[in-house]
């Protein structure tokens, strides 16, 4: 049996080998749980009693709990400390990040999952103790002993290990979310067709390789059949001695607004951990021997059901030995402040023993229809809107931020395909096809492919051979097309039964009963083409194979069988796959300069913040973490900003991750086609491309350290921020230079952006800081307007693209430049000021030499840098070596609280000094010192928050992509200035 560390070493040493992965059984028996009584009127309060780095348990509580096991008629006990904390909230820097490129979770140094949204980044949280220590919910596994904790990532991976050490023993908890090596959602951009072609007007006409997007279609790789399991996996193991553990899971569904029921299913006489009919399982030669029975816990709310199961490694089960694996007995616990009970257990592990805790999304089995297919109504849609009650006075309330639009219930799960009619039939059928799971399975096929490989003979020998549509392991649709297949048959379940004739597809959409197109009405799909019956069998419908193609990145390909038998072997295999994926991805980094380890960690963090189905990069996985503790600067950052485009593309290109840059720009290209009537773009979009991000305040939540309000959504999405066009044009320019040249149609889009800037650059806006005050003529926005026009001119000249407005663009570029130099320069203070209306300093002007607006050694730029380096008491922006973006006391930003220093601005200062250091030696060494000092504000894992408080604490959303992008760019340019690696104190 291997520990997580041994596994990591093994994976690093044998990255080219596949060995060790077990075959996942493709069937499961019907589950027949026994539901135990639970308290329906419960809810959760938590007291805390220890230091952030030490944990202990209330032993008296465990003695009492043993006397009161959950049984019929037994009273549900009230929660008491698990591994109590001396404070209600741990420091933000005490967390590590794990994820699977769909969602992410924050794990504390005491092994508690205190923040996680499911199933996507922008979904409601199920664990939110980070935002309310009483109501938010958590999932913690920790020793009951007083212990010293250490936390680290396994090398070049996002697998997090939390170690507990004390005199008589040592243990660790390994946390990760599964990502298969060469996963189905990892897009194979190397096989993409030539870029630059326009998206087809017909959403059903696109085939792989047609070059439908500017940066190439993100075609799912066909190099693997390994599905991705969207599970939170926690491995608990004892490394030395005997360790007593305590585990507790208290979910809080829908931002702690929805109640839930908790059911403990008793242990089954099978390694599946649930009651299974023996005859339902086919005999296999490699059947895993039975392991100690483990109970299952199910948490059910209106919109989501979670399933918590336990597995053990079979080598650890020594029959008759005093060191046999423990028997887990979950106890239901009442928490007065929560809307449903949680569970708790204690157990002992000896050296070398492992237990795996798996939390996953569950779906109850659906009743079958007359055609052998489950009813559509019984299959919950994990993208369905989350119901939020109307605002009321009291704890569980939601307040809409002014101005108040007419809002539907919060729809944080909503797929953009409901608003943008792109994608093939399979994309629209996915919710319906989730119903086609094998009988008795409690879990939806959340990801599966639907094309089969068994051809049917053509009736007359002249038509292309169709294939059956079924749930199984498919060939890639491009492969089918290359084999001459042009149509498929859609099977309605049992081939011996004849479904009702479909004469009017749209009429059938209105039927309450299930049919193959039942999902289309709910998804708001575009009108379907005519579908005619297949002549060879009445139970099929034939469709052109082209209809099964999708270029919509908002539709996720679905893998097979997400309900395999849970065993230690399976989970070890998933850990190996995850380690191989991240190790393999990091190995493609081309950066070999100084600070490579921290640069790779930043790159891995950006990878975790990428939403794989679309390529979008979220600004942060969290929301409403304050920029000042107790203040009201609390924003939702789980979206993608257009502004980030240039920074993301630059960072990925510099590290050699061209595929990630292309994926992100493909997402940006798609949302660029969703412009307003005046040609403008929204400043931000959801990870699925939606621009509807209403901002709401969750007034029932306390907020981190009492920082209110807790906001979801972002009202700034409707701001006019002219700087985004410069960032977008710079990103397109970089991709054209380092990746693939743009096509004519994308050039037409670029022309429209430049012309929009030419028409509007004189208008005031909210600019990069998204102030909630009055619009101003921010200097940063004027600089980026200049960048937009300049990059348009450069593209036209380098590519010799038609530019009828060239003379106008040249004139406007000069006009913007002169306007900034005239009205943006503060003659009295000798620096570039924040806006034409506000003479104060603003660190955003440090972007000037980075975008080649001005020479880094221009006297005006050097004078501005000197002014920013002064402390706030002297009118500057630098405190503790960190740069504030501006002084809130001197700026009308519409918020009445203070804030910390902005780490991205500090990295901009490093870059400005670095570029000046090419010519002035003292600035080069000043840049080095500032960079090294800033690295010290990262946490023990190399993660950085948005801001740093005056006391040196991390504040703001965490970890923040903007900060890690700045770190990568600063490290790259600073290393280049210092030249070949030698002592940094020596002269080059």
């Amino acid at each position: 049996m291997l520990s997580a560390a041994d596994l990591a070493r093994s994976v690093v040493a044998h990255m080219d080998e596949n060995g060790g992965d077990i075959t996942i059984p493709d069937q499961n028996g019907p589950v027949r749980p026994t539901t135990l009584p639970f308290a329906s009127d419960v809810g959760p309060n938590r007291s805390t009693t220890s230091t952030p780095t030490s944990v202990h348990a209330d032993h008296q509580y465990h003695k009492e709990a043993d006397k009161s096991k959950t049984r019929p008629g037994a009273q549900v006990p009230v929660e008491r400390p698990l591994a109590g904390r001396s404070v209600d909230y741990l420091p933000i820097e005490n967390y590590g990040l794990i994820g699977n490129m769909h969602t992410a979770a924050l794990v504390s140094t005491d092994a508690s999952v205190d923040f996680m949204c499911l199933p996507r980044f922008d979904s409601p949280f199920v664990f939110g103790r980070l935002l309310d220590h009483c109501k938010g919910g958590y999932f913690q596994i920790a020793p009951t002993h007083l212990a010293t904790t250490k936390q680290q990532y396994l090398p070049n991976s996002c697998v997090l290990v939390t170690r507990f050490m004390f005199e008589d023993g040592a243990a660790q908890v390994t946390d990760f979310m599964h990502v298969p090596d060469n996963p189905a959602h990892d897009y194979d951009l190397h096989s993409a067709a030539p870029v630059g072609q326009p998206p087809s007007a017909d959403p059903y006409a696109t085939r792989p390789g047609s070059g439908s997007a500017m940066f190439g279609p993100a075609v799912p790789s066909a190099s693997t059949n390994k599905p991705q399991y969207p599970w939170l996996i926690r491995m608990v193991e004892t490394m030395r001695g005997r360790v007593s553990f305590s585990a507790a899971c208290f979910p809080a569904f829908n931002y702690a607004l929805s109640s839930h029921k908790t059911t403990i299913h008793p242990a089954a006489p099978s390694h599946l951990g649930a009651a299974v009919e023996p005859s339902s399982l086919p005999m296999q030669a490699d059947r895993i021997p039975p392991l100690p029975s483990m109970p299952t816990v199910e948490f059910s709310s209106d919109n989501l059901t979670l399933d918590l199961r336990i597995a053990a490694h079979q080598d650890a089960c020594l029959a008759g030995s005093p060191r046999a694996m423990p028997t887990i007995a979950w106890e239901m616990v009442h928490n007065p402040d929560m809307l449903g009970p949680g569970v708790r257990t204690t157990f002992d592990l000896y050296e070398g023993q492992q237990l795996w805790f798996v939390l996953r999304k569950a779906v109850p089995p659906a009743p079958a229809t007359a055609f052998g297919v489950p009813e559509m109504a019984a299959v919950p849609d994990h993208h369905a809107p989350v119901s939020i009650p109307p605002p009321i006075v009291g704890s569980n309330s939601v307040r809409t931020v002014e101005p108040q639009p007419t809002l539907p219930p919060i729809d944080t799960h909503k797929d953009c395909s409901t608003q943008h009619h792109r994608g093939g039939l399979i994309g629209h059928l996915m919710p319906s096809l989730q119903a086609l799971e094998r009988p008795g399975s409690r879990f939806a096929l959340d990801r599966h492919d639907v094309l089969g490989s068994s051809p049917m003979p053509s009736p007359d020998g002249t038509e292309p051979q169709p294939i059956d549509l079924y749930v199984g392991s498919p060939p890639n649709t491009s492969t089918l097309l290359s084999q001459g297949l042009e149509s498929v048959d859609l099977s309605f379940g049992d081939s011996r039964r004849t479904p009702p004739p479909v004469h009017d597809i749209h009429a059938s959409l209105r039927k309450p009963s299930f049919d193959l197109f039942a999902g289309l009405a709910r998804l708001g799909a575009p009108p379907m083409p005519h579908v005619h019956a297949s002549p060879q069998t009445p139970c099929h419908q034939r469709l052109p194979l082209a209809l099964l193609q999708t270029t919509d990145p908002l539709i996720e390909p679905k893998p097979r069988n997400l309900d395999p038998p849970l065993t230690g072997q399976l989970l070890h295999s998933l850990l190996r796959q995850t380690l191989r994926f991240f190790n393999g991805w990091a190995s493609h980094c081309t950066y070999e300069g100084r600070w490579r380890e921290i640069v790779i960690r930043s790159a891995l963090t950006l990878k975790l913040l990428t939403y794989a189905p679309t390529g979008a990069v979220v600004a942060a996985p969290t929301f409403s973490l304050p920029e000042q503790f107790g203040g009201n600067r609390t924003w939702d950052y789980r979206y993608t900003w257009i502004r980030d485009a240039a920074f993301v593309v630059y960072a990925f290109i510099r590290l050699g991750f061209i595929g990630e840059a292309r994926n992100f720009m493909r997402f940006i290209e798609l949302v660029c086609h969703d412009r307003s009537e005046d040609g403008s773009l929204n400043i931000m979009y959801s990870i699925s491309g939606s621009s509807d991000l209403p901002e709401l305040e969750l007034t029932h939540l306390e907020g981190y350290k009492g920082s209110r309000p807790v906001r979801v959504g972002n009202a700034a999405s409707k701001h006019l921020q002219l700087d985004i066009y410069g960032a977008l044009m710079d990103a397109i320019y970089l991709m054209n230079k380092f990746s693939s040249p743009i096509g004519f149609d994308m050039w037409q889009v670029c022309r429209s952006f430049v012309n929009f800037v030419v028409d509007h650059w004189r208008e005031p806006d909210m600019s990069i800081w998204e102030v909630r005050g009055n619009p101003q003529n921010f200097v940063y926005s004027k600089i980026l307007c200049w960048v937009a026009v300049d990059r348009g001119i450069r593209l036209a000249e380098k590519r010799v693209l038609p530019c009828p407005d060239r003379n106008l663009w040249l004139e406007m570029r000069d006009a913007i430049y002169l306007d900034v130099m005239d009205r943006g320069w503060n003659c009295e203070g000798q620096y570039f000021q924040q806006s034409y209306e506000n003479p104060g300093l603003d660190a955003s002007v440090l972007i000037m030499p980075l975008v080649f607006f001005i020479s880094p050694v221009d006297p005006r730029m050097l004078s501005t840098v000197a002014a920013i380096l002064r402390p706030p008491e002297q009118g500057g922006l630098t405190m503790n070596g960190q740069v504030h973006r501006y002084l809130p006391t001197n700026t009308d930003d519409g918020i009445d609280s203070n804030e910390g220093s902005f780490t991205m601005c500090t990295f901009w200062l490093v870059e400005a000094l670095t570029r000046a250091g090419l010519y002035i030696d003292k600035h080069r060494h000043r840049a080095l010192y500032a960079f090294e000092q800033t690295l010290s504000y990262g946490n023990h894992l190399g993660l950085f928050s948005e801001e740093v408080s005056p006391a040196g604490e991390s504040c703001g959303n965490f970890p923040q992509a903007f900060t890690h992008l700045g770190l990568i760019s600063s490290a790259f340019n600073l290393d280049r200035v210092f030249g070949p690696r030698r002592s940094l104190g020596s002269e080059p």
Side-chain angles (χ1 to χ4, degrees):
M1 179 182 62
L2 295 177
S3 68
D6 295 332
L7 260 177
R9 287 190 289 269
S10 174
V11 168
V12 172
H14 304 285
M15 283 200 45
D16 294 332
E17 298 182 9
N18 270 336
D21 286 344
I22 68 171
T23 301
I24 300 171
D26 198 38
Q27 60 277 326
N28 200 349
V31 178
R32 299 177 180 175
T34 301
T35 303
L36 296 183
F38 59 88
S40 60
D41 55 345
V42 294
N45 190 20
R46 181 206 341 283
S47 57
T48 53
T49 56
S50 105
T51 64
T53 57
S54 299
V55 294
H56 68 278
D58 184 343
H59 295 282
Q60 181 63 33
Y61 164 69
H62 293 303
K63 293 178 182 178
E64 295 173 358
D66 290 339
K67 299 176 182 179
S68 178
K69 302 293 182 183
T70 302
R71 61 186 183 275
Q75 183 179 2
V76 179
V78 176
E79 182 194 10
R80 302 192 184 184
L82 164 66
R85 298 173 175 176
S86 60
V87 292
D88 292 336
Y89 297 96
L90 293 183
I92 293 174
E93 59 265 28
N94 279 29
Y95 287 89
L97 181 73
I98 61 173
N100 60 2
M101 280 77 77
H102 290 261
T103 189
L106 292 184
V107 183
S108 68
T109 50
D110 57 1
S112 177
V113 179
D114 285 351
F115 186 90
M116 184 172 72
C117 298
L118 281 178
R120 308 190 329 179
F121 290 107
D122 55 356
S123 301
F125 68 60
V126 292
F127 300 124
R129 177 155 71 164
L130 195 59
L131 294 174
D132 193 308
H133 71 99
C134 291
K135 302 175 184 175
Y138 66 98
F139 180 15
Q140 185 171 11
I141 306 172
T144 59
H145 304 71
L146 186 67
T148 300
T149 64
K150 301 291 181 181
Q151 197 174 59
Q152 71 169 102
Y153 284 114
L154 295 182
N156 289 342
S157 80
C158 296
V159 176
L160 186 65
V161 177
T162 306
R163 292 189 176 89
F164 301 88
M165 293 165 287
F166 37 87
E167 290 295 331
D168 300 327
Q172 67 183 30
V173 178
T174 303
D175 292 296
F176 69 99
M177 294 183 184
H178 172 239
V179 183
D181 43 338
N182 294 324
H185 67 254
D186 192 30
Y187 300 127
D188 182 10
L189 292 172
H190 299 291
S191 64
V195 299
Q197 304 299 324
S200 172
D202 180 2
Y204 298 104
T206 307
R207 290 187 170 96
S210 63
S212 64
M214 164 186 164
F215 299 105
V219 182
S221 172
S223 60
T224 179
N225 288 323
K226 299 174 184 176
Q228 181 175 17
Y229 294 89
W231 303 343
L232 170 64
I233 303 175
R234 316 196 71 188
M235 180 178 70
V236 186
E237 56 184 331
T238 295
M239 314 305 295
R240 175 171 55 88
R242 172 188 174 185
V243 181
S244 296
F245 290 89
S246 196
C249 185
F250 290 84
F253 292 91
N254 192 21
Y255 301 120
L257 284 168
S258 295
S259 61
H260 69 270
K261 298 179 180 179
T262 301
T263 306
I264 301 176
H265 302 296
S270 165
H271 67 280
L272 296 177
V276 178
E277 190 72 35
S279 61
S280 67
L281 296 176
M283 296 300 295
Q284 298 180 8
D286 58 349
R287 170 60 64 192
I288 300 171
L291 298 175
S293 300
M294 299 293 181
T296 301
V297 182
E298 186 174 87
F299 306 98
S300 302
S301 70
D302 291 339
N303 297 92
L304 183 65
T305 298
L306 296 180
D307 178 284
L308 177 59
R309 297 194 179 191
I310 305 175
H313 194 280
Q314 64 174 353
D315 294 342
C317 300
L318 308 174
S321 168
R323 295 190 176 186
M325 294 299 293
T327 299
I328 302 299
W330 287 110
E331 174 189 18
M332 201 177 301
V333 181
H334 174 74
N335 284 332
D337 285 339
M338 297 186 76
L339 301 180
V343 293
R344 177 194 304 278
T345 189
T346 58
F347 56 92
D348 293 345
L349 289 181
Y350 289 89
E351 181 176 338
Q353 292 183 336
Q354 296 175 349
L355 279 182
W356 300 74
F357 293 75
V358 179
L359 185 70
R360 54 188 187 174
K361 187 178 68 173
V363 174
T369 67
F371 304 108
V373 181
E375 288 284 357
M376 191 60 207
V379 182
D381 181 4
H382 70 271
H383 290 310
V386 178
S387 176
I388 288 209
I392 58 175
V393 178
S395 59
N396 290 340
S397 59
V398 181
R399 185 167 70 87
T400 305
V401 176
E402 295 290 345
Q404 296 186 5
T406 302
L407 296 177
I410 282 186
D411 191 357
T412 52
H413 302 271
K414 191 172 185 179
D415 196 310
C416 187
S417 59
T418 64
Q419 302 172 19
H420 306 285
H421 300 325
R422 308 188 199 99
L425 172 63
I426 291 305
H428 296 301
L429 287 179
M430 282 307 171
S432 300
L433 292 171
Q434 287 178 353
L436 303 178
E437 53 189 334
R438 62 185 178 278
S441 172
R442 299 177 56 77
F443 292 87
L445 296 174
D446 187 53
R447 294 174 57 86
H448 63 67
D449 292 309
V450 292
L451 285 179
S453 57
S454 56
M456 296 182 63
S458 176
D460 54 9
T462 58
E463 296 183 15
Q465 292 183 347
I467 60 175
D468 284 334
L469 186 69
Y470 74 102
V471 178
S473 177
N476 188 280
T477 49
S478 58
T479 304
L480 297 174
L481 287 168
S482 66
Q483 296 173 351
L485 297 175
E486 297 179 1
S487 64
V488 298
D489 280 0
L490 303 183
S491 175
F492 284 80
D494 190 345
S495 60
R496 294 168 297 179
R497 302 190 178 187
T498 304
V502 181
H503 302 292
D504 179 2
I505 293 297
H506 303 289
S508 69
L509 298 182
R510 296 187 288 271
K511 296 180 180 179
S513 59
F514 175 88
D515 61 55
L516 196 56
F517 303 98
L520 295 178
R522 184 183 59 212
L523 289 177
M528 294 296 300
H530 175 67
V531 178
H532 60 277
S534 172
Q536 59 265 44
T537 173
C539 69
H540 284 77
Q541 294 291 330
R542 174 170 295 180
L543 292 178
L545 185 59
L547 299 187
L548 300 178
Q549 311 303 313
T550 177
T551 58
D552 191 347
L554 316 180
I555 302 299
E556 305 176 32
K558 307 284 183 180
R560 311 166 309 282
N561 185 20
L562 287 193
D563 189 16
L566 281 186
T567 65
Q569 290 91 336
L570 166 64
L571 297 171
H572 265 290
S573 177
L574 300 187
L575 175 57
R576 281 193 294 270
Q577 292 177 22
T578 303
L579 287 169
R580 276 200 298 266
F581 171 81
F582 285 114
N583 276 261
W585 187 84
S587 68
H588 289 87
C589 178
T590 59
Y591 179 75
E592 299 292 342
R594 302 168 180 86
W595 311 287
R596 188 173 190 270
E597 183 177 353
I598 192 67
V599 167
I600 290 181
R601 176 51 53 196
S602 291
L604 286 167
T605 302
L606 293 176
K607 184 65 173 175
L608 281 186
L609 298 183
T610 301
Y611 183 57
T614 64
V617 177
V618 296
T622 59
F623 62 92
S624 289
L625 292 181
E627 298 172 10
Q628 180 191 35
F629 301 139
N632 60 353
R633 296 177 185 268
T634 53
W635 316 110
D636 191 347
Y637 278 13
R638 298 172 298 163
Y639 307 114
T640 296
W641 270 253
I642 294 292
R643 177 182 300 108
D644 294 352
F647 302 101
V648 170
V649 168
Y650 182 83
F652 277 140
I653 285 176
R654 287 306 186 193
L655 299 183
F657 298 117
I658 304 298
E660 279 68 22
R662 294 179 69 185
N663 273 343
F664 180 74
M665 285 307 298
R666 181 172 179 269
F667 170 79
I668 295 297
E669 182 211 2
L670 290 173
V671 300
C672 283
H673 292 282
D674 184 32
R675 301 193 296 273
S676 303
E677 293 182 0
D678 61 356
S680 63
L681 285 171
N682 280 67
I683 69 162
M684 71 181 79
Y685 292 84
S686 75
I687 55 177
S688 58
S690 172
S691 58
D692 184 20
L693 309 174
E695 183 175 300
L696 301 175
E697 294 178 358
L698 304 179
T699 58
H700 67 292
L701 296 178
E702 179 184 66
Y704 180 80
K705 292 186 176 181
S707 304
R708 291 180 172 174
V710 175
R711 296 181 174 97
V712 294
N714 202 311
S717 62
K718 302 301 181 182
H719 280 182
L720 173 64
Q721 298 178 19
L722 294 170
D723 63 287
I724 66 172
Y725 300 97
L728 179 58
M729 288 299 299
D730 196 34
I732 294 173
Y733 177 80
L734 289 171
M735 290 300 296
N736 181 82
K737 181 178 180 179
F738 293 103
S739 181
S740 303
I742 66 171
F744 176 76
D745 293 282
M746 192 60 205
W747 168 243
Q748 296 295 88
V749 175
C750 292
R751 284 183 55 203
S752 69
F753 289 148
V754 176
N755 286 327
F756 180 86
V757 170
V758 166
D759 294 337
H760 296 274
W761 71 270
R762 293 181 179 87
E763 299 177 11
D765 69 343
M766 300 299 193
S767 197
I768 182 175
W769 305 133
E770 301 175 357
V771 296
R772 298 294 176 103
N774 296 320
Q776 301 179 47
N777 287 283
F778 287 95
V779 172
Y780 180 87
S781 290
K782 307 305 178 187
I783 296 168
L784 269 292
C785 284
W786 177 90
V787 170
V789 180
D790 176 74
R791 300 310 189 259
I793 294 172
R794 289 174 183 243
L795 277 172
E797 291 176 348
K798 291 182 179 296
R799 295 290 315 283
V800 198
L801 294 167
C803 187
D805 304 312
R806 179 182 283 105
N807 292 335
L808 176 62
W809 291 5
L810 289 168
E811 179 184 346
M812 287 298 103
R813 183 177 65 175
D814 293 344
I816 297 171
Y817 194 97
L818 293 174
D819 194 58
V820 170
M821 289 299 185
D822 180 27
R823 303 175 63 190
W825 174 251
N826 188 311
C827 295
E828 181 180 352
Q830 292 295 292
Y831 56 77
F832 288 104
Q833 60 192 37
Q834 182 182 62
S835 68
Y836 296 170
E837 297 84 1
N838 186 354
L841 273 171
D842 191 312
S844 64
V845 300
L846 291 169
I847 201 73
M848 286 181 166
L850 280 61
V851 296
F852 306 106
F853 181 87
I854 195 173
S855 164
V857 292
D858 186 293
R860 291 193 174 192
M861 193 66 229
L862 293 176
S863 179
T864 300
V865 170
I868 290 173
L869 282 169
R870 291 195 292 265
E873 296 79 10
Q874 300 178 22
L877 298 177
T878 304
M879 177 188 296
N880 300 331
Q882 300 298 290
V883 179
H884 289 257
R885 51 183 180 173
Y886 54 80
L887 297 180
T889 55
N890 299 335
T891 300
D892 175 25
D893 61 4
I895 307 296
D896 59 1
S897 64
N898 214 323
E899 63 178 7
S901 58
F902 204 82
T903 311
M904 180 65 170
C905 290
T906 307
F907 285 126
W908 282 348
L909 175 66
V910 170
E911 286 216 58
L913 290 170
T914 298
R915 293 170 190 265
L918 286 169
Y919 311 98
I920 304 175
D921 191 63
K922 68 175 183 179
H923 292 310
R924 178 166 57 96
H925 291 284
R926 182 63 184 268
L928 174 62
Y929 177 77
F931 181 75
E932 292 281 6
Q933 186 179 35
T934 304
L935 292 185
S936 69
Y937 288 99
N939 77 348
H940 57 289
L941 299 170
L943 303 180
F944 290 80
S945 63
E946 179 184 19
E947 298 187 5
V948 177
S949 74
E953 300 171 288
S954 295
C955 53
N957 285 302
F958 173 88
Q960 203 208 29
F962 220 20
T963 304
H964 286 276
L965 291 168
L967 186 155
I968 292 170
S969 181
S970 297
F972 179 89
N973 287 291
L974 192 59
D975 179 74
R976 186 168 58 177
V977 166
F978 274 93
R981 186 174 300 188
R982 58 167 66 91
S983 173
L984 292 180
S986 62
E987 295 296 326

